[in-house]
Amino acid sequence: SAVISQKPSRDICQRGTSLTIQCQVDSQVTMMFWYRQQPGQSLTLIATANQGSEATYESGFVIDKFPISRPNLTFSTLTVSNMSPEDSSIYLCSVEGGHEQYFGPGTRLTVT
Amino acid sequence: KNQVEQSPQSLIILEGKNCTLQCNYTVSPFSNLRWYKQDTGRGPVSLTIMTFSENTKSNGRYTATLDADTKQSSLHITASQLSDSASYICVVSAGTPLVFGKGTRLSVIA
């Protein structure tokens, strides 16, 4: 299994600012995934982050808006840039282990 | 288009009662189907994973079924407890990315 922690757990931010979310895993993993969970909606994959290479973004998500860093095999950050109220959501970090998918506790972001 | 539909959207039951949550999917190719429990303010936690050849799988009071022909799955919760109050999410794997349902919000009341 994998234990994932995220910081911050929640934040309230003003529009136009940026927030960086940190994700720490207790074991080395090849791929780390970032998801968004908007109110009443299903989880949506933002991007996949591999150590040593640029993240791969899903349709509708761009690097300028959601830059990702992956400096080593246990850590990643997701930045939500130039925020608007539409970015209010829960952001989740996730890793794979065997056939399992493990999720962090999420970061609840509110943009005012 | 790959989709996962869950019903009902929400459900309220009395403690000790049983309930069944439904999941229909149109995902191809199919690799496996997963049920997750997500408590408020926490990330999803895996309950069961079923491959194409598995019809049923249990995890304590949770029993999941899969009919790959009709592309339907159900999650049955027996003798519900207050701690079962959570969102239950059906997820189908066709490789990457996973396809998530919107979840069923279950409230168990005393």
Tab-separated table of all heavy atoms in Angstrom, chain B residues 26-80:
chain	number	residue	atom	x	y	z
B	26	THR	N	-20.179	2.325	-19.941
B	26	THR	CA	-19.976	2.142	-21.379
B	26	THR	C	-18.506	2.456	-21.646
B	26	THR	O	-18.167	3.487	-22.232
B	26	THR	CB	-20.874	3.067	-22.210
B	26	THR	OG1	-20.644	4.435	-21.792
B	26	THR	CG2	-22.337	2.749	-22.004
B	27	VAL	N	-17.647	1.594	-21.130
B	27	VAL	CA	-16.205	1.788	-21.238
B	27	VAL	C	-15.619	0.628	-22.019
B	27	VAL	O	-15.890	-0.531	-21.734
B	27	VAL	CB	-15.546	1.860	-19.848
B	27	VAL	CG1	-14.031	2.006	-19.984
B	27	VAL	CG2	-16.126	3.007	-19.040
B	28	SER	N	-14.805	0.974	-22.999
B	28	SER	CA	-14.188	-0.062	-23.818
B	28	SER	C	-12.803	0.388	-24.251
B	28	SER	O	-12.620	1.569	-24.614
B	28	SER	CB	-15.060	-0.345	-25.040
B	28	SER	OG	-14.510	-1.370	-25.819
B	29	PRO	N	-11.830	-0.508	-24.238
B	29	PRO	CA	-11.898	-1.873	-23.738
B	29	PRO	C	-11.938	-1.897	-22.207
B	29	PRO	O	-11.535	-0.950	-21.571
B	29	PRO	CB	-10.591	-2.488	-24.251
B	29	PRO	CG	-9.649	-1.336	-24.299
B	29	PRO	CD	-10.485	-0.149	-24.701
B	30	PHE	N	-12.451	-2.989	-21.660
B	30	PHE	CA	-12.628	-3.094	-20.216
B	30	PHE	C	-11.447	-3.834	-19.603
B	30	PHE	O	-11.033	-4.879	-20.107
B	30	PHE	CB	-13.924	-3.850	-19.933
B	30	PHE	CG	-14.169	-4.132	-18.469
B	30	PHE	CD1	-14.833	-3.202	-17.688
B	30	PHE	CD2	-13.739	-5.310	-17.893
B	30	PHE	CE1	-15.067	-3.455	-16.349
B	30	PHE	CE2	-13.965	-5.577	-16.561
B	30	PHE	CZ	-14.644	-4.647	-15.777
B	31	SER	N	-10.911	-3.275	-18.530
B	31	SER	CA	-9.828	-3.936	-17.814
B	31	SER	C	-10.312	-4.418	-16.446
B	31	SER	O	-10.186	-5.597	-16.124
B	31	SER	CB	-8.635	-2.992	-17.653
B	31	SER	OG	-7.619	-3.618	-16.911
B	32	ASN	N	-10.809	-3.508	-15.642
B	32	ASN	CA	-11.357	-3.892	-14.350
B	32	ASN	C	-12.327	-2.824	-13.866
B	32	ASN	O	-12.372	-1.706	-14.403
B	32	ASN	CB	-10.261	-4.139	-13.314
B	32	ASN	CG	-9.369	-2.935	-13.119
B	32	ASN	OD1	-9.808	-1.902	-12.636
B	32	ASN	ND2	-8.100	-3.067	-13.490
B	33	LEU	N	-13.119	-3.191	-12.860
B	33	LEU	CA	-14.077	-2.277	-12.258
B	33	LEU	C	-13.791	-2.209	-10.774
B	33	LEU	O	-13.592	-3.239	-10.118
B	33	LEU	CB	-15.515	-2.723	-12.523
B	33	LEU	CG	-16.626	-1.782	-12.036
B	33	LEU	CD1	-17.790	-1.771	-13.014
B	33	LEU	CD2	-17.089	-2.112	-10.642
B	34	ARG	N	-13.816	-0.999	-10.242
B	34	ARG	CA	-13.450	-0.766	-8.844
B	34	ARG	C	-14.572	-0.005	-8.151
B	34	ARG	O	-15.211	0.851	-8.756
B	34	ARG	CB	-12.158	0.040	-8.767
B	34	ARG	CG	-11.071	-0.453	-9.718
B	34	ARG	CD	-9.955	0.532	-9.837
B	34	ARG	NE	-8.977	0.107	-10.849
B	34	ARG	CZ	-7.714	0.486	-10.858
B	34	ARG	NH1	-7.261	1.307	-9.936
B	34	ARG	NH2	-6.899	0.062	-11.803
B	35	TRP	N	-14.734	-0.299	-6.892
B	35	TRP	CA	-15.599	0.493	-6.036
B	35	TRP	C	-14.729	1.152	-4.965
B	35	TRP	O	-13.876	0.489	-4.349
B	35	TRP	CB	-16.669	-0.366	-5.372
B	35	TRP	CG	-17.807	-0.723	-6.280
B	35	TRP	CD1	-17.955	-1.848	-7.031
B	35	TRP	CD2	-18.996	0.059	-6.505
B	35	TRP	NE1	-19.142	-1.820	-7.721
B	35	TRP	CE2	-19.795	-0.649	-7.410
B	35	TRP	CE3	-19.449	1.293	-6.032
B	35	TRP	CZ2	-21.033	-0.181	-7.849
B	35	TRP	CZ3	-20.671	1.769	-6.468
B	35	TRP	CH2	-21.459	1.031	-7.371
B	36	TYR	N	-14.968	2.447	-4.769
B	36	TYR	CA	-14.246	3.202	-3.757
B	36	TYR	C	-15.238	3.805	-2.768
B	36	TYR	O	-16.364	4.156	-3.128
B	36	TYR	CB	-13.445	4.351	-4.379
B	36	TYR	CG	-12.202	3.938	-5.115
B	36	TYR	CD1	-12.254	3.537	-6.441
B	36	TYR	CD2	-10.959	3.958	-4.482
B	36	TYR	CE1	-11.108	3.158	-7.117
B	36	TYR	CE2	-9.805	3.587	-5.154
B	36	TYR	CZ	-9.890	3.186	-6.474
B	36	TYR	OH	-8.750	2.815	-7.137
B	37	LYS	N	-14.773	3.966	-1.542
B	37	LYS	CA	-15.518	4.698	-0.520
B	37	LYS	C	-14.772	5.993	-0.239
B	37	LYS	O	-13.557	5.969	-0.015
B	37	LYS	CB	-15.619	3.874	0.765
B	37	LYS	CG	-16.338	4.576	1.910
B	37	LYS	CD	-16.257	3.750	3.184
B	37	LYS	CE	-16.980	4.465	4.327
B	37	LYS	NZ	-16.789	3.782	5.627
B	38	GLN	N	-15.506	7.102	-0.283
B	38	GLN	CA	-14.883	8.391	0.004
B	38	GLN	C	-15.616	9.069	1.156
B	38	GLN	O	-16.743	9.543	0.997
B	38	GLN	CB	-14.875	9.298	-1.223
B	38	GLN	CG	-14.124	10.605	-0.996
B	38	GLN	CD	-14.022	11.469	-2.236
B	38	GLN	OE1	-14.807	11.324	-3.176
B	38	GLN	NE2	-13.052	12.375	-2.261
B	39	ASP	N	-14.964	9.107	2.302
B	39	ASP	CA	-15.512	9.845	3.433
B	39	ASP	C	-15.336	11.337	3.187
B	39	ASP	O	-14.416	11.753	2.469
B	39	ASP	CB	-14.798	9.445	4.727
B	39	ASP	CG	-15.090	8.011	5.134
B	39	ASP	OD1	-16.276	7.658	5.198
B	39	ASP	OD2	-14.132	7.253	5.385
B	40	THR	N	-16.205	12.124	3.794
B	40	THR	CA	-16.132	13.577	3.628
B	40	THR	C	-14.769	14.092	4.067
B	40	THR	O	-14.287	13.749	5.147
B	40	THR	CB	-17.242	14.246	4.455
B	40	THR	OG1	-18.512	13.761	4.008
B	40	THR	CG2	-17.188	15.756	4.274
B	41	GLY	N	-14.146	14.863	3.199
B	41	GLY	CA	-12.856	15.456	3.535
B	41	GLY	C	-11.673	14.514	3.392
B	41	GLY	O	-10.563	14.857	3.823
B	42	ARG	N	-11.884	13.378	2.786
B	42	ARG	CA	-10.810	12.407	2.599
B	42	ARG	C	-10.768	11.930	1.160
B	42	ARG	O	-11.702	12.130	0.392
B	42	ARG	CB	-10.984	11.229	3.538
B	42	ARG	CG	-11.104	11.624	5.003
B	42	ARG	CD	-11.221	10.415	5.892
B	42	ARG	NE	-9.942	9.718	6.016
B	42	ARG	CZ	-9.072	9.944	6.986
B	42	ARG	NH1	-9.319	10.860	7.876
B	42	ARG	NH2	-7.952	9.265	7.053
B	43	GLY	N	-9.658	11.295	0.793
B	43	GLY	CA	-9.553	10.739	-0.544
B	43	GLY	C	-10.265	9.398	-0.634
B	43	GLY	O	-10.530	8.751	0.380
B	44	PRO	N	-10.583	8.956	-1.854
B	44	PRO	CA	-11.234	7.652	-2.032
B	44	PRO	C	-10.344	6.514	-1.562
B	44	PRO	O	-9.130	6.546	-1.741
B	44	PRO	CB	-11.456	7.584	-3.547
B	44	PRO	CG	-11.398	8.991	-4.025
B	44	PRO	CD	-10.420	9.677	-3.120
B	45	VAL	N	-10.990	5.488	-0.996
B	45	VAL	CA	-10.291	4.297	-0.538
B	45	VAL	C	-10.918	3.089	-1.231
B	45	VAL	O	-12.142	2.958	-1.285
B	45	VAL	CB	-10.405	4.135	0.989
B	45	VAL	CG1	-9.796	2.810	1.439
B	45	VAL	CG2	-9.722	5.296	1.692
B	46	SER	N	-10.078	2.216	-1.763
B	46	SER	CA	-10.558	1.072	-2.536
B	46	SER	C	-11.309	0.069	-1.660
B	46	SER	O	-10.873	-0.285	-0.563
B	46	SER	CB	-9.373	0.379	-3.206
B	46	SER	OG	-9.804	-0.762	-3.921
B	47	LEU	N	-12.457	-0.397	-2.163
B	47	LEU	CA	-13.221	-1.455	-1.507
B	47	LEU	C	-13.034	-2.785	-2.227
B	47	LEU	O	-12.766	-3.808	-1.606
B	47	LEU	CB	-14.715	-1.106	-1.491
B	47	LEU	CG	-15.141	0.098	-0.644
B	47	LEU	CD1	-16.617	0.377	-0.852
B	47	LEU	CD2	-14.828	-0.133	0.831
B	48	THR	N	-13.227	-2.772	-3.533
B	48	THR	CA	-13.076	-3.993	-4.337
B	48	THR	C	-12.558	-3.654	-5.726
B	48	THR	O	-12.751	-2.545	-6.222
B	48	THR	CB	-14.409	-4.740	-4.515
B	48	THR	OG1	-15.296	-3.917	-5.279
B	48	THR	CG2	-15.057	-5.106	-3.197
B	49	ILE	N	-11.907	-4.635	-6.322
B	49	ILE	CA	-11.502	-4.556	-7.726
B	49	ILE	C	-11.913	-5.862	-8.384
B	49	ILE	O	-11.623	-6.937	-7.851
B	49	ILE	CB	-9.984	-4.374	-7.889
B	49	ILE	CG1	-9.519	-3.089	-7.233
B	49	ILE	CG2	-9.610	-4.368	-9.356
B	49	ILE	CD1	-8.013	-2.912	-7.275
B	50	MET	N	-12.607	-5.771	-9.524
B	50	MET	CA	-13.042	-6.980	-10.221
B	50	MET	C	-12.593	-6.939	-11.673
B	50	MET	O	-12.735	-5.921	-12.355
B	50	MET	CB	-14.560	-7.111	-10.156
B	50	MET	CG	-15.068	-7.493	-8.783
B	50	MET	SD	-16.849	-7.753	-8.785
B	50	MET	CE	-17.397	-6.089	-9.067
B	51	THR	N	-12.067	-8.051	-12.128
B	51	THR	CA	-11.713	-8.181	-13.528
B	51	THR	C	-12.889	-8.774	-14.303
B	51	THR	O	-13.913	-9.132	-13.723
B	51	THR	CB	-10.483	-9.073	-13.702
B	51	THR	OG1	-10.787	-10.365	-13.162
B	51	THR	CG2	-9.284	-8.490	-12.965
B	52	PHE	N	-12.699	-8.907	-15.600
B	52	PHE	CA	-13.757	-9.364	-16.504
B	52	PHE	C	-14.351	-10.705	-16.080
B	52	PHE	O	-15.541	-10.946	-16.198
B	52	PHE	CB	-13.176	-9.468	-17.916
B	52	PHE	CG	-14.178	-9.823	-18.963
B	52	PHE	CD1	-14.882	-8.829	-19.613
B	52	PHE	CD2	-14.412	-11.148	-19.317
B	52	PHE	CE1	-15.813	-9.141	-20.591
B	52	PHE	CE2	-15.343	-11.474	-20.288
B	52	PHE	CZ	-16.043	-10.469	-20.932
B	53	SER	N	-13.510	-11.587	-15.556
B	53	SER	CA	-13.948	-12.956	-15.272
B	53	SER	C	-14.582	-13.122	-13.891
B	53	SER	O	-15.078	-14.198	-13.560
B	53	SER	CB	-12.759	-13.914	-15.385
B	53	SER	OG	-11.758	-13.539	-14.467
B	54	GLU	N	-14.583	-12.057	-13.094
B	54	GLU	CA	-15.115	-12.170	-11.745
B	54	GLU	C	-16.549	-11.665	-11.691
B	54	GLU	O	-16.848	-10.577	-12.174
B	54	GLU	CB	-14.245	-11.370	-10.769
B	54	GLU	CG	-12.840	-11.960	-10.629
B	54	GLU	CD	-11.960	-11.105	-9.734
B	54	GLU	OE1	-11.667	-9.949	-10.112
B	54	GLU	OE2	-11.572	-11.592	-8.664
B	55	ASN	N	-17.431	-12.455	-11.065
B	55	ASN	CA	-18.838	-12.073	-10.958
B	55	ASN	C	-19.152	-11.374	-9.643
B	55	ASN	O	-20.056	-10.555	-9.568
B	55	ASN	CB	-19.745	-13.303	-11.072
B	55	ASN	CG	-19.519	-14.036	-12.364
B	55	ASN	OD1	-19.044	-15.161	-12.366
B	55	ASN	ND2	-19.860	-13.398	-13.465
B	56	THR	N	-18.420	-11.762	-8.610
B	56	THR	CA	-18.695	-11.206	-7.299
B	56	THR	C	-17.422	-11.177	-6.470
B	56	THR	O	-16.542	-12.027	-6.647
B	56	THR	CB	-19.795	-12.023	-6.590
B	56	THR	OG1	-20.107	-11.412	-5.337
B	56	THR	CG2	-19.345	-13.452	-6.343
B	57	LYS	N	-17.364	-10.180	-5.612
B	57	LYS	CA	-16.218	-10.069	-4.708
B	57	LYS	C	-16.688	-9.382	-3.433
B	57	LYS	O	-17.416	-8.387	-3.501
B	57	LYS	CB	-15.086	-9.297	-5.351
B	57	LYS	CG	-13.842	-9.202	-4.494
B	57	LYS	CD	-12.645	-8.725	-5.276
B	57	LYS	CE	-11.976	-9.845	-6.015
B	57	LYS	NZ	-10.680	-9.449	-6.593
B	58	SER	N	-16.246	-9.916	-2.307
B	58	SER	CA	-16.680	-9.374	-1.026
B	58	SER	C	-15.514	-8.782	-0.257
B	58	SER	O	-14.372	-9.221	-0.384
B	58	SER	CB	-17.348	-10.458	-0.171
B	58	SER	OG	-18.562	-10.873	-0.761
B	59	ASN	N	-15.834	-7.797	0.549
B	59	ASN	CA	-14.873	-7.169	1.456
B	59	ASN	C	-15.647	-6.827	2.720
B	59	ASN	O	-16.243	-5.761	2.829
B	59	ASN	CB	-14.282	-5.918	0.813
B	59	ASN	CG	-13.312	-5.197	1.725
B	59	ASN	OD1	-13.063	-5.625	2.861
B	59	ASN	ND2	-12.744	-4.114	1.243
B	60	GLY	N	-15.680	-7.793	3.640
B	60	GLY	CA	-16.459	-7.590	4.859
B	60	GLY	C	-17.943	-7.499	4.546
B	60	GLY	O	-18.520	-8.381	3.913
B	61	ARG	N	-18.555	-6.387	4.944
B	61	ARG	CA	-19.997	-6.226	4.711
B	61	ARG	C	-20.303	-5.689	3.307
B	61	ARG	O	-21.455	-5.462	2.972
B	61	ARG	CB	-20.559	-5.273	5.761
B	61	ARG	CG	-20.543	-5.861	7.182
B	61	ARG	CD	-21.112	-4.871	8.200
B	61	ARG	NE	-20.308	-3.650	8.289
B	61	ARG	CZ	-20.639	-2.499	7.731
B	61	ARG	NH1	-21.766	-2.390	7.034
B	61	ARG	NH2	-19.858	-1.455	7.861
B	62	TYR	N	-19.280	-5.468	2.522
B	62	TYR	CA	-19.451	-4.968	1.150
B	62	TYR	C	-19.305	-6.125	0.162
B	62	TYR	O	-18.329	-6.867	0.213
B	62	TYR	CB	-18.391	-3.912	0.819
B	62	TYR	CG	-18.380	-2.712	1.729
B	62	TYR	CD1	-17.430	-2.589	2.741
B	62	TYR	CD2	-19.313	-1.703	1.588
B	62	TYR	CE1	-17.413	-1.482	3.565
B	62	TYR	CE2	-19.302	-0.588	2.406
B	62	TYR	CZ	-18.341	-0.490	3.400
B	62	TYR	OH	-18.328	0.610	4.222
B	63	THR	N	-20.291	-6.260	-0.721
B	63	THR	CA	-20.226	-7.260	-1.780
B	63	THR	C	-20.505	-6.595	-3.114
B	63	THR	O	-21.560	-5.984	-3.290
B	63	THR	CB	-21.249	-8.391	-1.550
B	63	THR	OG1	-20.957	-9.039	-0.314
B	63	THR	CG2	-21.175	-9.414	-2.678
B	64	ALA	N	-19.563	-6.729	-4.017
B	64	ALA	CA	-19.726	-6.151	-5.345
B	64	ALA	C	-20.018	-7.264	-6.348
B	64	ALA	O	-19.489	-8.366	-6.227
B	64	ALA	CB	-18.466	-5.402	-5.760
B	65	THR	N	-20.868	-6.963	-7.301
B	65	THR	CA	-21.150	-7.901	-8.387
B	65	THR	C	-20.831	-7.234	-9.715
B	65	THR	O	-20.862	-6.005	-9.829
B	65	THR	CB	-22.623	-8.337	-8.391
B	65	THR	OG1	-23.452	-7.203	-8.675
B	65	THR	CG2	-23.011	-8.950	-7.062
B	66	LEU	N	-20.539	-8.049	-10.698
B	66	LEU	CA	-20.226	-7.533	-12.027
B	66	LEU	C	-20.864	-8.429	-13.074
B	66	LEU	O	-20.711	-9.656	-13.039
B	66	LEU	CB	-18.708	-7.493	-12.249
B	66	LEU	CG	-18.234	-7.135	-13.656
B	66	LEU	CD1	-18.646	-5.716	-14.014
B	66	LEU	CD2	-16.714	-7.300	-13.768
B	67	ASP	N	-21.594	-7.807	-13.978
B	67	ASP	CA	-22.127	-8.495	-15.162
B	67	ASP	C	-21.498	-7.819	-16.380
B	67	ASP	O	-21.944	-6.756	-16.801
B	67	ASP	CB	-23.651	-8.381	-15.201
B	67	ASP	CG	-24.256	-9.202	-16.337
B	67	ASP	OD1	-23.555	-9.427	-17.355
B	67	ASP	OD2	-25.414	-9.608	-16.232
B	68	ALA	N	-20.457	-8.446	-16.902
B	68	ALA	CA	-19.720	-7.832	-18.008
B	68	ALA	C	-20.537	-7.828	-19.306
B	68	ALA	O	-20.268	-7.030	-20.203
B	68	ALA	CB	-18.400	-8.564	-18.219
B	69	ASP	N	-21.511	-8.719	-19.387
B	69	ASP	CA	-22.332	-8.754	-20.602
B	69	ASP	C	-23.233	-7.535	-20.688
B	69	ASP	O	-23.374	-6.920	-21.750
B	69	ASP	CB	-23.171	-10.038	-20.638
B	69	ASP	CG	-22.307	-11.271	-20.836
B	69	ASP	OD1	-21.235	-11.148	-21.469
B	69	ASP	OD2	-22.689	-12.346	-20.343
B	70	THR	N	-23.880	-7.221	-19.574
B	70	THR	CA	-24.777	-6.056	-19.549
B	70	THR	C	-24.063	-4.785	-19.113
B	70	THR	O	-24.653	-3.715	-19.114
B	70	THR	CB	-25.962	-6.311	-18.605
B	70	THR	OG1	-25.467	-6.486	-17.281
B	70	THR	CG2	-26.745	-7.549	-19.028
B	71	LYS	N	-22.797	-4.910	-18.747
B	71	LYS	CA	-21.983	-3.764	-18.309
B	71	LYS	C	-22.623	-3.081	-17.108
B	71	LYS	O	-22.828	-1.852	-17.094
B	71	LYS	CB	-21.755	-2.797	-19.463
B	71	LYS	CG	-20.970	-3.426	-20.614
B	71	LYS	CD	-20.588	-2.425	-21.679
B	71	LYS	CE	-19.736	-3.113	-22.742
B	71	LYS	NZ	-19.292	-2.180	-23.803
B	72	GLN	N	-22.944	-3.910	-16.133
B	72	GLN	CA	-23.538	-3.411	-14.908
B	72	GLN	C	-22.804	-3.974	-13.704
B	72	GLN	O	-22.328	-5.121	-13.725
B	72	GLN	CB	-25.020	-3.793	-14.828
B	72	GLN	CG	-25.878	-3.158	-15.901
B	72	GLN	CD	-27.338	-3.577	-15.782
B	72	GLN	OE1	-27.637	-4.702	-15.396
B	72	GLN	NE2	-28.234	-2.660	-16.103
B	73	SER	N	-22.744	-3.169	-12.654
B	73	SER	CA	-22.170	-3.605	-11.399
B	73	SER	C	-23.042	-3.084	-10.267
B	73	SER	O	-23.759	-2.088	-10.429
B	73	SER	CB	-20.735	-3.090	-11.247
B	73	SER	OG	-20.200	-3.442	-9.991
B	74	SER	N	-22.986	-3.777	-9.156
B	74	SER	CA	-23.688	-3.302	-7.973
B	74	SER	C	-22.793	-3.464	-6.757
B	74	SER	O	-21.888	-4.302	-6.736
B	74	SER	CB	-25.001	-4.066	-7.774
B	74	SER	OG	-24.728	-5.425	-7.476
B	75	LEU	N	-23.045	-2.634	-5.768
B	75	LEU	CA	-22.368	-2.744	-4.479
B	75	LEU	C	-23.436	-2.898	-3.418
B	75	LEU	O	-24.280	-2.020	-3.246
B	75	LEU	CB	-21.516	-1.506	-4.198
B	75	LEU	CG	-20.750	-1.539	-2.870
B	75	LEU	CD1	-19.640	-2.593	-2.917
B	75	LEU	CD2	-20.154	-0.164	-2.547
B	76	HIS	N	-23.413	-4.025	-2.725
B	76	HIS	CA	-24.391	-4.317	-1.689
B	76	HIS	C	-23.734	-4.139	-0.331
B	76	HIS	O	-22.655	-4.690	-0.080
B	76	HIS	CB	-24.915	-5.744	-1.854
B	76	HIS	CG	-26.018	-6.078	-0.918
B	76	HIS	ND1	-27.306	-5.609	-1.083
B	76	HIS	CD2	-26.032	-6.838	0.216
B	76	HIS	CE1	-28.069	-6.069	-0.107
B	76	HIS	NE2	-27.328	-6.822	0.694
B	77	ILE	N	-24.389	-3.366	0.512
B	77	ILE	CA	-23.890	-3.143	1.867
B	77	ILE	C	-24.854	-3.820	2.836
B	77	ILE	O	-26.062	-3.538	2.822
B	77	ILE	CB	-23.770	-1.642	2.183
B	77	ILE	CG1	-22.876	-0.961	1.139
B	77	ILE	CG2	-23.193	-1.438	3.589
B	77	ILE	CD1	-22.794	0.549	1.292
B	78	THR	N	-24.317	-4.695	3.650
B	78	THR	CA	-25.136	-5.464	4.586
B	78	THR	C	-25.030	-4.870	5.983
B	78	THR	O	-23.953	-4.438	6.411
B	78	THR	CB	-24.653	-6.924	4.612
B	78	THR	OG1	-24.690	-7.452	3.285
B	78	THR	CG2	-25.515	-7.782	5.510
B	79	ALA	N	-26.163	-4.880	6.685
B	79	ALA	CA	-26.189	-4.437	8.083
B	79	ALA	C	-25.448	-3.110	8.244
B	79	ALA	O	-24.433	-3.011	8.945
B	79	ALA	CB	-25.588	-5.505	8.978
B	80	SER	N	-25.955	-2.091	7.611
B	80	SER	CA	-25.260	-0.808	7.540
B	80	SER	C	-24.960	-0.237	8.938
B	80	SER	O	-25.697	-0.459	9.907
B	80	SER	CB	-26.088	0.185	6.738
B	80	SER	OG	-27.346	0.407	7.353
